[in-house]
Amino acid sequence: MPELPEVETVRAGLERHVVGRTVGTAAILNPRAVRRDLAGPDGFAAAMVGRTFLRAERRGKYLWFALDDTEALLAHLGMSGQLLVGDPGRPLSPHVRARFTFDDDGPDLRFTDQRTFGHVMLVPLVYPGDESRVVPAPIAHIAPDPLEAAFDPRAFAGRLTGRKTQLKRALLDQSLISGIGNIYADEALWRAKLHWARPTETLKPAEVSRLLGAVREVLTEALEVGGTSFDALYVNVNGESGYFDRSLNAYGREGQPCGRCGTPIRRDAFMNRSSFSCPRCQQAPRRPGPSG
DNA sequence: ACTCCCCCCTGTTAGC
DNA sequence: TGCTAACAGGGGGGAG
């Protein structure tokens, strides 16, 4: 379940192990991995040969390598995507979807993805709106994430309370604030003592800043321990797990006591998935937001 | 313009 | 024991 802390952990690993190196060969082992690339598997692979990874960057859950001033290799890990760096001679696992070797004959890069929700593509770099930062064209509509300099807390507060929806839906909307998924949404809401169904238009300024503080806290703390791993589906570029699952207060803890008040954590069906919260610390709104 | 819901996919687990 | 169904969930795209 790669969200911002997991993707950032992967990005940092790629910066260390891949940046500065030049692609020798590129192979697409499953065409679905490049389904969003207009050039198709063969065109994509051919266009990648000889390109040098100049920088490893990230916004929210997307990461990319700048290849020059105008193009980038964009990647999204989806649910189960991994970018693994290792001995080019090691066995090829059945879930490897794309493989890049380098002209220095060093460690190769493998995009591995059991459930194939992730993808990679070669894309143009553009300036979105009034921002100073260059980003890949397909993600120009994604909002800055709360850990980057371009994030504007006041603009976020205004757009959040201007919506007519439930708070958790808004937190998961990458065009409003990026990098947050189901796990960290539940964790941030628990910390801020806010209910997932709270109508966004009723949020007070103090509640919004409490929420943003909780979001930044939980993302930062998870990042410090390498992200959250429940199983082998999320690992860093060396195949190692993160440790934040030990620090979860709400997510996945149905029936277990709330760390603050002891009330059993409750699980609600939400958007075809689950929402975990403390029924006592996180008071349900009298009138839930739309689609509650 | 904004909000919402379905669907893409595979491996694991719960339940009958 | 063996099958089926539910579940995990990010986000694109289309419906409303």
Side-chain angles (χ1 to χ4, degrees), chain A residues 248-249 251-259 262-266 277:
Chain A
L248 295 175
N249 286 295
Y251 186 85
R253 298 193 68 244
E254 181 181 17
Q256 296 176 54
C258 167
T263 305
I265 294 293
R266 169 194 166 109
S277 61

Side-chain angles (χ1 to χ4, degrees), chain A residues 13-291:
Chain A
L14 293 170
E15 184 164 73
R16 238 178 92 189
H17 296 287
V18 175
V19 163
R21 302 174 66 201
T22 299
V23 174
T25 66
I28 298 302
L29 289 80
N30 183 328
R32 203 176 132 75
V34 289
R35 64 190 177 281
R36 305 194 66 79
D37 193 300
L38 298 176
D42 295 341
F44 170 86
M48 282 305 298
V49 174
R51 307 303 292 269
T52 301
F53 292 166
L54 299 179
R55 298 184 302 276
E57 303 194 55
R58 183 190 56 74
R59 164 164 285 178
K61 303 169 194 171
Y62 283 90
L63 61 84
W64 67 91
F65 294 106
L67 302 171
D68 55 35
D69 289 342
T70 64
E71 283 192 303
L73 173 63
L74 178 65
H76 193 286
L77 303 178
M79 241 301 281
S80 56
Q82 307 173 336
L83 285 163
L84 300 169
V85 177
D87 183 336
R90 71 194 188 285
L92 211 59
S93 99
H95 298 310
V96 175
R97 311 303 184 193
R99 176 170 181 251
F100 303 90
T101 63
F102 296 90
D103 66 1
D104 56 15
D105 294 325
D108 70 359
L109 173 65
R110 300 180 181 189
F111 176 60
T112 299
D113 189 8
Q114 178 188 101
R115 294 177 57 192
T116 72
F117 279 17
H119 62 98
V120 294
M121 62 195 303
L122 184 56
V123 299
L125 287 167
V126 298
Y127 285 97
D130 55 357
E131 283 181 47
S132 55
R133 189 179 177 193
V134 175
V135 300
I139 66 162
H141 65 291
I142 299 292
D145 68 60
L147 298 190
E148 71 179 289
F151 186 84
D152 180 350
R154 289 194 58 196
F156 167 71
R159 292 187 64 205
L160 176 68
T161 53
R163 298 230 169 164
K164 284 194 184 299
T165 189
Q166 298 175 338
L167 179 52
K168 186 169 169 182
R169 287 178 185 276
L171 280 182
L172 295 176
D173 184 342
Q174 306 297 302
S175 66
L176 181 62
I177 181 171
S178 67
I180 304 170
N182 205 35
I183 298 171
Y184 297 112
D186 280 2
E187 291 303 305
L189 289 168
W190 181 87
R191 289 193 188 210
K193 299 184 183 180
L194 291 167
H195 194 272
W196 55 268
R198 178 72 179 273
T200 47
E201 72 267 27
T202 68
L203 287 165
K204 300 182 182 83
E207 291 175 316
V208 177
S209 49
R210 204 166 80 219
L211 173 69
L212 204 46
V215 164
R216 285 180 158 143
E217 237 179 60
V218 75
L219 294 178
T220 304
E221 288 176 23
L223 187 51
E224 283 167 2
V225 295
T228 304
S229 304
F230 296 111
D231 48 40
L233 284 187
Y234 161 70
V235 291
N236 68 15
V237 296
N238 297 316
E240 300 154 345
S241 297
Y243 294 99
F244 197 70
D245 59 312
R246 298 169 190 181
S247 308
L248 295 175
N249 286 295
Y251 186 85
R253 298 193 68 244
E254 181 181 17
Q256 296 176 54
C258 167
R260 272 190 306 247
C261 74
T263 305
I265 294 293
R266 169 194 166 109
R267 174 183 163 184
D268 293 297
F270 172 83
M271 289 172 78
N272 284 332
R273 53 199 68 160
S274 298
S275 224
F276 299 91
S277 61
C278 171
R280 183 164 170 185
C281 296
Q282 299 167 261
Q283 286 292 314
R286 284 187 213 120
R287 203 176 63 76
S291 274

